Amino acid sequence: MASSPSEKGKDNEIPDPVAAVYPRPSTEEPVQEEKDMAESHLRSHDNPDDEEDKRPDLGRIKSYATGTSVVSAATTKPPDNKPWFKQPNPLRWGKIPPVSKERKPSPEYTASFFSALFFQWMAPLMQTGYKRQLETNDLYEINPNRAVEPLTDTMRASFKRRVANGEKNPLLWAMHETFFKEFWIGGLCQLSSSILQVLSPFTLRYLIQFATDAYIASTRGLPAPNIGAGLGLVFGVTAMQIMQSLGTNHFIYRGMLIGGMVRASLISLIYEKSMVISGRAKAGGAELLEGPAAGAEVKQEKDKSGKKDAPPNQAGVSGDGIGWGNGRVINLMSVDTYRIDQASGLFHIIWTAPLSCIITLALLLVNLTYSALAGFALLVIGMPALTIAIKSLFRRRKLINKITDQRVSLTQEILQSVRFVKYFGWESSFLKRLGEIRSQEITAIQVLLSLRNAIMSISLSLPIFASMLAFITYSLSHHDLAPAQVFSSLALFNGLRMPLNMLPMVIGQVTDAWSSISRIQEFLLTEEREDEATFDPEATNAVEMHDASFTWERTPTQDEEATIGGGPPKGKPAKGQKDASKGAPRASLPTDSSGEDANTLVEEREPFKLQNLTFEIGRNELVAVIGTVGSGKTSLLAALAGDMRRTGGEVILGASRAFCPQYAWIQNTTVKDNILFGKEFDKEWYGDVIKACALQPDLDMLPHNDLTEIGERGITISGGQKQRLNIARAIYFDADIVLLDDPLSAVDAHVGRHIFDNAILGLMKDKCRILATHQLWVLNRCDRVVWMEGGKIQAIDTFDNLMRDSEGFRQLMETTAVEEKKEAEHTALVPGDNGPSKKKKKGKALMQAEERAVASVPWSVYAAYIRASGSMFNAVVVLVLLIVSQGANIATSLWLSYWTSDKFGYPMGTYIGVYAGLGAVQALLMFSFMVALSIYGTTSSKTMLGNAITRVLRAPMSFFDTTPLGRITNRFSRDVDVMDNNLTDAMRMYFFSVGSIIAVFALIISFFYYFAIALVPLFLVFLLATSYYRASAREVKRFESVLRSSLFAKFGEGLSGIATIRAYGLKDRFIEDLRKSIDEMDAAYFLTYSNQRWLSVRLDMIGNCLVFTTGILVVTSRFSVSPSIGGLVLSYILGIVQMIQFTVRQLAEVENGMNAVERLQYYGSELEEEAPLKTIDVRKSWPEKGEIIFNDVQMRYRAGLPLVLQGLNMHVRGGERIGIVGRTGAGKSSIMSTLFRLVELSGGSITIDGLDISTIGLQDLRSGLAIIPQDPTLFRGTVRSNLDPFGEHTDLELWSALRQADLVPADGGPQPAAATPAEGIETSLARDTGRIHLDSVVEEDGLNFSLGQRQLMALARALVRGSQIIVCDEATSSVDMETDDKIQATIAHGFRGKTLLCIAHRLRTIIGYDRICVMDKGRIAEMAAPIDLWKMEGGIFRGMCDRSGIRVEDIRNASEEMGVRDGRARDADELEGRDLGSGSGFGQ
């Protein structure tokens, strides 16, 4: 955001050391932004803060995720106001305009005809932008005719009407109807300009004829023709050029605007639809009656889903099986609408280009008689051939996109769990995987680019060859080559270059857009969700269900490759139903799939169902829903929230509802807005809610209290705080039915109790409350208990009755012993909040504003870019090729002029031969120039991405804590995409056009030296116009990127929270909000276009002056210069006019592209790194004992923050079990960070088995430790690739770990997925291993496993590691008692004799450990055996035990139980050893 730390301070009131590390960086997002893939993966929604502009006075914490930051008034120092005589630049004279208080309405709305014609209404903005940096308020508001709301309404109405009438392509015609007037005005402009474009070269014929007559007259001494005729023709040509330039500019402007408006309305429609699409459609099913209305994509998607030979209607759905997961919807919104936007821009060329070709042909026939047909035939044959070649490129591009998607989603996944990758020291494994994908990708891209360059160079030389053929035929058929005909024809042939080059491009864009339109149309026509419940405010009960059944949807079909070798699946299987709220129970639950089903690939599992639910709940009852993991608790709440499809029965809701999902959905706005959630602010009620949810202490810790911005996905607050915000929102909403999905699991027990007493039993006492929970202590305070098992209700009754009457229920309870012990279990250690404590301590420092460039890209970046391609010498090669090919170009034309004037008196054959030879050489040189450029460019892109990604993975954690994920992925997707695909193209065209312009000017000056005099002032005007333009264009573009990423963020955020939005019934508010964002973005987006047109009109004026000058020079020197030369010069200068504009545009493109290079280079060279992976050689067996000594350890998270650990001394003996407890922020997790060296020590040392860990390489250190992290992270791939990414362990070891972690039953063994019949598939065994198998697919984030299963997987991972030291971080916070017991048993058994450090969440889990360490304020407050600590009256630990009702007997029992478990484990180990011995014999 700021260029120096001091400015940063002024800006944010928060000096941040990291700001100093960011020197000067950049963001001009390339125009090509959403190239075919970027945002499809940005599930991490980039969330920059777009409200920024409205409240600049609050120096809030900013979290700009992508692109850039809006500069706030404080940072930009306005340039000094100098008196005019001290200021050499006249454009800077006059006062510097002040920043306006609010935005002005768009002047275009009221502009006069001429102002609109020349885009003069832009001038005030341009002037402001030239004199000082633009601020957000300088941008005009959107022109009311172009606002999204009225347009969307028109389009929706038209679309619905057409669908109802059963018309074909309703969406296309609805778009046409909405934008009819503007669309056809653009078409007329283009029509007139393309006719003029053909006529002006034709008029040259007469001008050259005039010069020829004059020249002949002067050589023969005849009377010369009157000069007036010549001047008249010059004026005529110039006037035609001016008209043509205005026509073209308005055509492009109209086209681009319509593109932007269509895009805006479509985004709005897609968002509205995604709020109401049914779950079935989302998961890729359709009602069995109607196949999907799939448009363009259906073919290829059919074969995707066709890969599995599973009966299509297996789960009661049929359809293409791809579904409309969030990824795919975001893709529609970012990529597909973008393609439609692109295609609308130049659409009319599709019919005007062929038209101008026909007129050109007619004129050529007039000029060259039938010889023109020879040249034209070449073009007619050549163009379709090229178009076919281009089509083959599309196929290749599709394949490349698949590889790119793979790379991006893998990168995304690694970055999302980077802390985890570091804990396990897996960087090298992932880098290798990325490297392999990247090499494939680059090779494919290089082939593609070379092919494309071949096509380009042929298409650029086609006009040359065509004119050659025509002239050769013309001269062979015994005509004299007269300059008038020849050069006017040359100009006509050159004029064809433009429409012929544009046509295939536009056809490509339009076909792309067509498939996008069908895709969007298919989405808009999908089935909508009926509300699953009937609302009846008069009903006596709040909720009634009568024999209701519900189902989740099946998981969308994944590509088969997904299961092999752990690589991520190719393509993008959409994550159907990946709503946050439905994390746990989904198709992954152990359903009793039939025997044969278990044998097919595991994915085709039946989705989870709820069956025959019948119950009623009164209007002020509190009902608890309990059951084991995967019994359907979450599903029941989801069904009530309207998130599951009802398949039978009926549901009646008597009131409005609020929903608190298991995974809190937090918006990227202030804490306050998150709680209000669109309700009016009521101060008193708000205060009560904050108190009831125990949020006050947390708010006091935040830098701006409840106005603090929360980062994307709630990243800046802890898990417990998220959950409490979630509860606060549900209470504040004041609905009469409140659905709470296990909200107490993520908060500390005493907080949980506070919330239960004050919120659930307090503020909400008169509401109907349904609470899914694992916390058994709440049950006896609930009115009734619903006990779920396997998707059915086992019983509903009061707690006491159930305890009395039901044996099963008693067993469920007994897993947690006596009531008061249950209390203890869930009562956490100390006040505080279990959230990751590291997040808390960062009270102030938050997301780094992105470093960004203000000036243009420095030369050092260009140098680095060239160096990355191999060597600096490469640049020389490219330049030499460019100069030589331009030389050949000019030589060809000069030869033509020598031929027409028969300068050397050679025979005809010589002229023809040399002419043809020069043409061929030119084409070859051009091709080699292009190929050299693109090969070098992609090579450097590969090198730079490699460096950047390695460097990012080696960056310290503090970098990831202060950089939003979206920004990093943006660099690795969007910026790399620009470097791979657009940058070399932009460079090629830029060099090329600059080369041509210089060559032509040189040619003209060598014959008409007066031209140089005209050239100087025009060149100065040109420089002024472009710098004037770039000053404001850069800023406007920058705002547009910021606003765009904010729009994408809003869109992605809304998608991920649909379940919540729907349950609260707030979709209209969110749609309204999104539309505001769209208008904000469009205001800037449309200005970028009018800005470009402003410049184009002015540059065309310069070009037209050049044409005029040349014309006058030819007329005035008609006696001295041969007409062949005059003709040559005139035909060239006409072609140059368009070149000039093009060059400026290409320069901007190159700069944009270099911005991407700069950002990658910044990541590749400037980021700080962690310590090296390898330093000294460490013995293979280290650590043998697992003895850890902390000696006076001091640690702070980043320079400038307070110490978190202050002189910690601790000696852990090998094989000892240590429990670590303490309140939030006491430094529990920090111990772990120091052990793994995620953060380096500020003082002191840690030694493990006699080695000081600061001296050894990180790879050696981390691979010697194992961790069971707090949030279990799974990567996409298979179970095998998750347990053992390097492939270092045998299957037997992996199976053993799965068994120990209780993920497969004790007798489940290594049965291959497609088991042979001999092994008895029918047995129950195969059915169970059908659940989890080494080759079971793991979806993104492991979402197809329930939370408990993921936790057990993390455990299995540590078991596979087989390390001597295990660190366990609060791993049991979100698990029910049963799973918790499993985990504890596994930890006792699997890690016997190893050193275990457990950061505990529940006291009961650790009171049997050898010693307990109580942390307080970064020091060890108490440390001894639990029994000794208990005896210390008034000690912290004793206090905790008393609060949790833990007695001395409990501690003794726990220690004994540990002993017993150890004994059991010893026996089991011996058995296992025997099994493994015999097993491995088999295996080999």
Side-chain angles (χ1 to χ4, degrees):
M1 169 116 185
S3 34
S4 75
S6 61
E7 289 182 18
K8 170 110 185 133
K10 256 184 289 182
D11 186 22
N12 269 16
E13 271 59 279
I14 303 171
D16 191 317
V18 187
V21 190
Y22 287 89
R24 56 151 314 285
S26 74
T27 42
E28 225 177 313
E29 292 294 14
V31 185
Q32 279 287 12
E33 281 111 343
E34 288 84 334
K35 265 305 267 295
D36 300 343
M37 98 250 139
E39 282 75 5
S40 57
H41 294 284
L42 287 185
R43 291 186 20 275
S44 65
H45 341 314
D46 311 353
N47 263 358
D49 154 24
D50 55 333
E51 300 283 276
E52 174 63 4
D53 358 319
K54 303 198 190 131
R55 305 172 279 193
D57 47 347
L58 292 174
R60 297 168 308 146
I61 286 206
K62 317 226 165 61
S63 97
Y64 291 110
T66 348
T68 43
S69 18
V70 182
V71 178
S72 76
T75 39
T76 43
K77 186 171 141 292
D80 304 328
N81 236 334
K82 295 184 189 160
W84 63 269
F85 50 84
K86 286 193 181 160
Q87 176 60 277
N89 179 349
L91 294 180
R92 290 201 187 276
W93 292 350
K95 279 217 308 296
I96 290 166
V99 182
S100 53
K101 288 284 173 285
E102 68 253 7
R103 292 170 123 182
K104 301 189 189 72
S106 168
E108 182 190 18
Y109 191 48
T110 51
S112 66
F113 174 74
F114 281 103
S115 168
L117 184 66
F118 294 104
F119 297 96
Q120 193 48 40
W121 56 270
M122 280 293 292
L125 182 75
M126 311 279 287
Q127 191 179 7
T128 310
Y130 191 66
K131 291 191 174 175
R132 65 171 167 76
Q133 211 170 4
L134 286 178
E135 306 295 342
T136 328
N137 278 354
D138 294 324
L139 299 187
Y140 301 131
E141 279 172 5
I142 196 159
N143 181 340
N145 300 338
R146 311 194 197 291
V148 67
E149 196 152 340
L151 295 175
T152 313
D153 296 343
T154 319
M155 198 193 286
R156 187 188 319 102
S158 168
F159 178 66
K160 289 208 163 124
R161 189 178 69 246
R162 289 165 194 279
V163 173
N165 301 344
E167 294 180 33
K168 269 210 160 69
N169 305 325
L171 184 59
L172 182 70
W173 292 112
M175 279 156 50
H176 180 255
E177 179 181 334
T178 314
F179 300 106
F180 183 83
K181 187 176 141 215
E182 289 248 10
F183 183 71
W184 287 111
I185 291 179
L188 289 173
C189 290
Q190 173 60 4
L191 178 65
S192 54
S193 80
S194 47
I195 294 173
L196 288 169
Q197 193 171 4
V198 181
L199 287 179
S200 40
F202 186 67
T203 325
L204 275 189
R205 172 182 177 170
Y206 300 101
L207 186 55
I208 299 172
Q209 193 57 57
F210 166 81
T212 316
D213 295 345
Y215 188 69
I216 295 172
S218 77
T219 44
R220 300 199 184 148
L222 303 169
N226 182 359
I227 192 166
L231 290 179
L233 284 169
V234 173
F235 281 111
V237 170
T238 313
M240 281 156 89
Q241 285 282 6
I242 291 175
M243 300 282 290
Q244 183 221 324
S245 118
L246 288 175
T248 307
N249 279 318
H250 277 272
F251 150 66
I252 294 180
Y253 182 59
R254 292 276 180 291
M256 299 293 191
L257 278 187
I258 287 173
M261 294 188 291
V262 167
R263 180 173 197 189
S265 335
L266 286 177
I267 290 179
S268 177
L269 287 176
I270 291 172
Y271 192 63
E272 287 170 32
K273 180 71 181 189
S274 63
M275 291 280 170
V276 295
I277 183 174
S278 75
R280 179 175 6 194
K282 203 167 178 182
E287 292 172 82
L288 288 176
L289 344 171
E290 34 160 276
E297 291 270 271
V298 110
K299 264 207 320 289
Q300 100 203 47
E301 293 180 351
K302 273 285 186 282
D303 34 63
K304 275 193 201 168
S305 51
K307 278 189 190 156
K308 312 246 174 347
D309 308 321
N313 40 13
Q314 186 177 331
V317 294
S318 74
D320 59 2
I322 295 285
W324 291 101
N326 290 355
R328 218 172 148 211
V329 176
I330 286 189
N331 228 349
L332 280 186
M333 173 268 194
S334 61
V335 178
D336 288 327
T337 57
Y338 180 67
R339 287 191 179 147
I340 296 172
D341 175 355
Q342 286 280 287
S344 327
L346 302 173
F347 177 83
H348 293 292
I349 288 181
I350 272 201
W351 57 276
T352 56
L355 195 70
S356 59
C357 289
I358 293 168
I359 303 175
T360 308
L361 175 61
L363 296 178
L364 280 169
L365 286 174
V366 174
N367 268 348
L368 300 177
T369 67
Y370 57 87
S371 314
L373 292 174
F376 216 80
L378 180 68
L379 289 179
V380 171
I381 298 165
M383 275 304 153
L386 288 178
T387 318
I388 292 169
I390 289 174
K391 277 279 179 294
S392 75
L393 294 186
F394 280 128
R395 275 206 310 283
R396 282 176 185 274
R397 166 60 69 204
K398 270 219 166 78
L399 292 172
I400 292 179
N401 283 349
K402 277 199 158 174
I403 308 178
T404 307
D405 283 342
Q406 259 180 295
R407 172 176 62 78
V408 173
S409 51
L410 181 60
T411 312
Q412 174 89 16
E413 238 180 330
I414 297 172
L415 291 176
Q416 271 178 338
S417 0
V418 67
R419 159 167 274 128
F420 190 86
V421 173
K422 285 188 182 302
Y423 277 142
F424 274 85
W426 280 351
E427 295 100 332
S428 51
S429 154
F430 280 120
L431 281 173
K432 195 163 117 257
R433 237 158 88 183
L434 271 177
E436 285 161 10
I437 299 180
R438 181 70 176 151
S439 298
Q440 272 182 325
E441 184 186 13
I442 285 291
T443 317
I445 287 178
Q446 285 181 340
V447 173
L448 178 85
L449 288 180
S450 307
L451 286 174
R452 193 161 88 195
N453 289 331
I455 295 174
M456 286 291 301
S457 56
I458 294 172
S459 77
L460 283 175
S461 5
L462 266 183
I464 302 170
F465 286 121
S467 49
M468 256 181 210
L469 255 181
F471 297 148
I472 293 171
T473 324
Y474 190 63
S475 66
L476 289 179
S477 53
H478 313 296
H479 287 86
D480 211 6
L481 281 185
Q485 278 84 1
V486 170
F487 287 107
S488 134
S489 306
L490 188 63
L492 281 169
F493 272 121
N494 277 339
L496 277 179
R497 183 178 290 182
M498 214 51 180
L500 286 177
N501 274 349
M502 295 300 273
L503 195 59
M505 181 183 96
V506 174
I507 291 175
Q509 283 181 346
V510 170
T511 46
D512 272 359
W514 174 240
S515 67
S516 291
I517 290 180
S518 341
R519 241 197 318 268
I520 292 175
Q521 178 175 310
E522 179 193 344
F523 178 66
L524 294 179
L525 290 173
T526 46
E527 171 189 34
E528 297 196 359
R529 162 177 313 242
E530 272 84 60
D531 207 339
E532 303 298 350
T534 26
F535 281 96
D536 174 10
E538 304 304 309
T540 44
N541 292 321
V543 179
E544 293 183 23
M545 278 201 186
H546 302 301
D547 198 21
S549 301
F550 296 87
T551 174
W552 284 119
E553 308 300 339
R554 61 185 191 141
T555 318
T557 333
Q558 277 202 356
D559 268 9
E560 210 151 15
E561 299 99 308
T563 56
I564 298 161
K570 299 210 171 102
K572 328 177 198 54
K575 310 286 165 301
Q577 289 296 314
K578 222 200 54 211
D579 272 13
S581 58
K582 337 185 178 85
R586 204 170 84 234
S588 57
L589 302 158
T591 48
D592 40 308
S593 37
S594 59
E596 74 243 344
D597 192 88
N599 179 22
T600 54
L601 265 172
V602 196
E603 288 140 72
E604 290 294 346
R605 268 192 237 118
E606 282 281 295
F608 187 71
K609 293 184 168 51
L610 293 176
Q611 281 136 341
N612 324 8
L613 309 179
T614 304
F615 60 83
E616 20 194 74
I617 297 177
R619 285 188 172 270
N620 50 10
E621 235 184 325
L622 166 57
V623 176
V625 182
I626 61 159
T628 53
V629 164
S631 58
K633 300 185 292 295
T634 299
S635 301
L636 176 63
L637 269 77
L640 288 170
D643 216 42
M644 280 179 84
R645 178 156 55 88
R646 190 182 60 194
T647 51
E650 65 167 339
V651 184
I652 299 170
L653 292 182
S656 60
R657 61 188 170 197
F659 178 42
C660 192
Q662 195 172 3
Y663 291 88
W665 177 65
I666 301 295
Q667 289 175 276
N668 171 221
T669 63
T670 59
V671 176
K672 183 170 172 183
D673 291 344
N674 261 303
I675 296 174
L676 298 185
F677 212 50
K679 284 284 213 198
E680 288 297 299
F681 179 58
D682 167 350
K683 194 161 179 206
E684 200 171 321
W685 176 235
Y686 180 75
D688 293 345
V689 171
I690 296 276
K691 267 199 216 65
C693 295
L695 276 167
Q696 200 49 56
D698 302 273
L699 293 182
D700 296 340
M701 285 176 73
L702 294 171
H704 304 290
N705 210 316
D706 63 354
L707 294 179
T708 307
E709 179 97 10
I710 301 176
E712 36 172 330
R713 286 170 308 145
I715 190 168
T716 51
I717 56 178
S718 75
Q721 289 168 321
K722 269 190 230 178
Q723 205 47 344
R724 299 206 309 268
L725 271 185
N726 200 1
I727 301 171
R729 175 192 294 168
I731 304 174
Y732 189 86
F733 198 73
D734 206 21
D736 294 330
I737 302 176
V738 187
L739 309 171
L740 302 159
D741 189 355
D742 200 8
L744 302 178
S745 66
V747 297
D748 287 350
H750 77 103
V751 181
R753 191 156 286 143
H754 175 96
I755 292 176
F756 192 73
D757 295 342
N758 297 308
I760 298 177
L761 295 176
L763 293 180
M764 299 196 282
K765 61 178 181 300
D766 303 326
K767 312 262 190 256
C768 160
R769 295 141 295 168
I770 304 173
L771 169 72
T773 182
H774 294 310
Q775 327 290 78
L776 303 179
W777 54 268
V778 306
L779 299 185
N780 60 350
R781 305 176 57 183
C782 295
D783 300 324
R784 283 190 298 164
V785 176
V786 174
W787 170 27
M788 302 279 301
E789 209 48 73
K792 298 192 175 63
I793 294 183
Q794 290 290 82
I796 303 186
D797 211 335
T798 60
F799 178 71
D800 301 333
N801 294 354
L802 283 172
M803 279 306 271
R804 191 183 64 231
D805 306 335
S806 160
E807 177 55 35
F809 186 76
R810 274 204 298 281
Q811 277 177 341
L812 186 68
M813 292 299 112
E814 270 152 21
T815 39
T816 12
V818 238
E819 174 59 20
E820 139 206 86
K821 276 206 190 169
K822 289 199 283 289
E823 301 263 311
E825 276 305 344
H826 284 270
T827 304
L829 315 173
V830 226
D833 176 343
N834 79 307
S837 50
K838 57 148 185 78
K839 289 276 164 62
K840 281 299 241 335
K841 286 178 288 291
K842 300 206 304 240
K844 293 254 159 105
L846 226 175
M847 294 306 174
Q848 271 313 114
E850 180 157 22
E851 2 83 49
R852 53 160 258 190
V854 178
S856 45
V857 180
W859 289 108
S860 59
V861 174
Y862 289 92
Y865 182 64
I866 298 168
R867 225 175 277 116
S869 71
S871 78
M872 291 304 263
F873 183 64
N874 293 344
V876 183
V877 176
V878 172
L879 281 176
V880 170
L881 283 171
L882 174 68
I883 293 167
V884 182
S885 67
Q886 283 302 335
N889 188 356
I890 294 289
T892 317
S893 310
L894 269 176
W895 188 256
L896 185 62
S897 86
Y898 296 152
W899 180 10
T900 52
S901 57
D902 194 5
K903 185 167 177 180
F904 305 117
Y906 293 137
M908 175 94 75
T910 314
Y911 281 122
I912 292 179
V914 173
Y915 187 50
L918 280 171
V921 168
Q922 179 193 344
L924 272 174
L925 284 168
M926 192 149 66
F927 175 64
S928 43
F929 161 69
M930 291 176 175
V931 169
L933 193 60
S934 40
I935 299 281
Y936 292 148
T938 41
T939 312
S940 35
S941 159
K942 181 181 176 182
T943 317
M944 293 182 95
L945 175 66
N947 296 344
I949 216 149
T950 313
R951 191 79 179 232
V952 165
L953 280 187
R954 303 275 303 109
M957 273 322 291
S958 57
F959 168 72
F960 296 98
D961 288 341
T962 54
T963 311
L965 243 189
R967 184 190 309 162
I968 308 177
T969 27
N970 199 25
R971 293 205 183 182
F972 288 149
S973 54
R974 183 99 129 253
D975 289 345
V976 171
D977 188 53
V978 169
M979 282 175 68
D980 286 349
N981 302 312
N982 311 353
L983 182 57
T984 50
D985 266 5
M987 282 184 162
R988 184 197 70 221
M989 296 191 217
Y990 177 66
F991 284 139
F992 213 79
S993 35
V994 168
S996 319
I997 291 175
I998 292 175
V1000 171
F1001 285 168
L1003 180 73
I1004 298 179
I1005 290 173
S1006 62
F1007 291 107
F1008 303 95
Y1009 39 87
Y1010 285 116
F1011 184 75
I1013 302 171
L1015 199 56
V1016 174
L1018 287 174
F1019 183 64
L1020 284 175
V1021 173
F1022 170 81
L1023 283 182
L1024 280 175
T1026 46
S1027 69
Y1028 197 67
Y1029 157 77
R1030 279 174 51 198
S1032 53
R1034 196 169 31 220
E1035 287 308 306
V1036 174
K1037 185 82 197 108
R1038 204 163 271 161
F1039 285 128
E1040 190 248 346
S1041 320
V1042 175
L1043 295 168
R1044 151 157 318 156
S1045 18
S1046 118
L1047 168 69
F1048 280 20
K1050 275 226 168 81
F1051 191 95
E1053 191 174 66
L1055 272 190
S1056 62
I1058 282 179
T1060 311
I1061 295 172
R1062 233 189 233 144
Y1064 280 96
L1066 288 178
K1067 63 174 203 286
D1068 294 342
R1069 188 187 135 240
F1070 277 84
I1071 291 169
E1072 172 77 5
D1073 199 35
L1074 185 86
R1075 285 184 175 172
K1076 267 212 217 55
S1077 275
I1078 296 179
D1079 277 342
E1080 293 266 285
M1081 176 186 96
D1082 278 349
Y1085 189 42
F1086 295 158
L1087 280 180
T1088 53
Y1089 288 132
S1090 41
N1091 220 329
Q1092 285 167 7
R1093 292 304 117 211
W1094 180 93
L1095 179 70
S1096 288
V1097 170
R1098 279 143 190 79
L1099 290 183
D1100 281 346
M1101 294 301 163
I1102 297 177
N1104 295 335
C1105 291
L1106 289 175
V1107 172
F1108 183 68
T1109 316
T1110 317
I1112 296 290
L1113 285 173
V1114 171
V1115 171
T1116 48
S1117 54
R1118 59 191 185 281
F1119 302 127
S1120 53
V1121 178
S1122 134
S1124 326
I1125 296 294
L1128 175 70
V1129 167
L1130 278 173
S1131 72
Y1132 263 125
I1133 197 75
L1134 277 184
I1136 280 302
V1137 179
Q1138 267 129 14
M1139 282 278 196
I1140 292 179
Q1141 271 206 56
F1142 192 62
T1143 312
V1144 176
R1145 204 144 65 250
Q1146 270 343 99
L1147 175 63
E1149 279 288 300
V1150 172
E1151 277 226 313
N1152 281 342
M1154 290 311 288
N1155 265 320
V1157 174
E1158 183 182 20
R1159 290 162 41 168
L1160 260 193
Q1161 196 229 351
Y1162 174 79
Y1163 271 12
S1165 59
E1166 304 288 317
L1167 292 185
E1168 50 175 329
E1169 291 189 272
E1170 289 186 306
L1173 291 176
K1174 286 260 183 279
T1175 47
I1176 53 175
D1177 284 334
V1178 178
R1179 51 185 188 271
K1180 270 273 176 278
S1181 56
W1182 180 89
E1184 299 83 358
K1185 301 203 294 293
E1187 173 189 44
I1188 311 174
I1189 299 172
F1190 288 83
N1191 178 20
D1192 195 25
V1193 170
Q1194 300 179 340
M1195 189 272 272
R1196 53 170 58 91
Y1197 276 102
R1198 299 200 300 282
L1201 294 179
L1203 283 175
V1204 193
L1205 296 178
Q1206 316 180 357
L1208 182 81
N1209 288 299
M1210 171 159 70
H1211 180 184
V1212 180
R1213 291 181 282 280
E1216 196 174 20
R1217 293 194 177 115
I1218 303 269
I1220 301 175
V1221 297
R1223 67 177 64 224
T1224 303
K1228 305 190 293 288
S1229 308
S1230 309
I1231 294 185
M1232 190 169 72
S1233 299
T1234 55
L1235 202 53
F1236 282 87
R1237 283 177 65 195
L1238 286 191
V1239 184
E1240 297 293 346
L1241 301 182
S1242 311
S1245 67
I1246 301 177
T1247 50
I1248 297 181
D1249 282 358
L1251 269 181
D1252 182 343
I1253 63 169
S1254 61
T1255 59
I1256 62 178
L1258 291 182
Q1259 180 78 41
D1260 295 325
L1261 169 66
R1262 289 170 184 169
S1263 56
L1265 309 172
I1267 181 170
I1268 305 170
Q1270 190 176 13
D1271 30 7
T1273 307
L1274 297 185
F1275 295 100
R1276 194 154 80 187
T1278 57
V1279 172
R1280 177 185 278 112
S1281 69
N1282 268 291
L1283 292 180
D1284 180 26
F1286 289 101
E1288 298 165 316
H1289 302 279
T1290 63
D1291 280 11
L1292 279 171
E1293 294 174 83
L1294 301 182
W1295 273 111
S1296 155
L1298 286 179
R1299 271 200 302 276
Q1300 281 179 296
D1302 216 8
L1303 275 165
V1304 295
D1307 52 353
Q1311 234 86 11
T1316 49
E1319 280 163 337
I1321 291 175
E1322 291 72 39
T1323 62
S1324 62
L1325 167 99
R1327 202 178 288 165
D1328 283 330
T1329 41
R1331 267 175 67 197
I1332 290 187
H1333 191 279
L1334 287 182
D1335 293 317
S1336 300
V1337 176
V1338 178
E1339 280 185 30
E1340 204 164 340
D1341 292 341
L1343 283 180
N1344 53 340
F1345 291 95
S1346 72
L1347 247 179
Q1349 287 170 317
R1350 278 182 280 175
Q1351 199 75 64
L1352 293 170
M1353 288 275 274
L1355 198 60
R1357 212 184 246 156
L1359 285 163
V1360 172
R1361 246 294 146 88
S1363 160
Q1364 191 53 38
I1365 298 177
I1366 287 97
V1367 180
C1368 172
D1369 178 15
E1370 293 185 333
T1372 52
S1373 56
S1374 47
V1375 188
D1376 61 1
M1377 305 281 47
E1378 193 185 347
T1379 317
D1380 191 16
D1381 283 350
K1382 279 186 194 175
I1383 292 179
Q1384 290 312 321
T1386 309
I1387 288 179
H1389 157 167
F1391 301 136
R1392 198 185 74 258
K1394 311 208 163 169
T1395 309
L1396 179 65
L1397 295 179
C1398 182
I1399 295 174
H1401 185 73
R1402 307 176 178 169
L1403 267 190
R1404 179 153 306 269
T1405 52
I1406 56 160
I1407 51 176
Y1409 281 23
D1410 303 329
R1411 284 193 293 166
I1412 286 185
C1413 158
V1414 183
M1415 296 288 297
D1416 189 36
K1417 299 194 181 122
R1419 293 194 172 78
I1420 295 182
E1422 307 168 355
M1423 181 158 177
I1427 200 92
D1428 302 339
L1429 287 180
W1430 193 85
K1431 292 178 181 152
M1432 286 167 53
E1433 289 290 338
I1436 301 182
F1437 182 75
R1438 175 66 187 265
M1440 292 182 192
C1441 289
D1442 292 348
R1443 273 200 299 279
S1444 313
I1446 292 181
R1447 306 183 307 273
V1448 73
E1449 299 83 84
D1450 297 328
I1451 296 183
R1452 288 212 179 87
N1453 293 347
S1455 311
E1456 279 162 26
E1457 202 175 312
M1458 274 287 182
V1460 174
R1461 279 179 179 173
D1462 278 359
R1464 267 195 231 125
R1466 216 165 288 122
D1467 305 341
D1469 271 5
E1470 281 160 19
L1471 273 171
E1472 174 110 344
R1474 266 178 252 145
D1475 290 354
L1476 272 175
S1478 57
S1480 56
F1482 264 108
Q1484 289 138 20

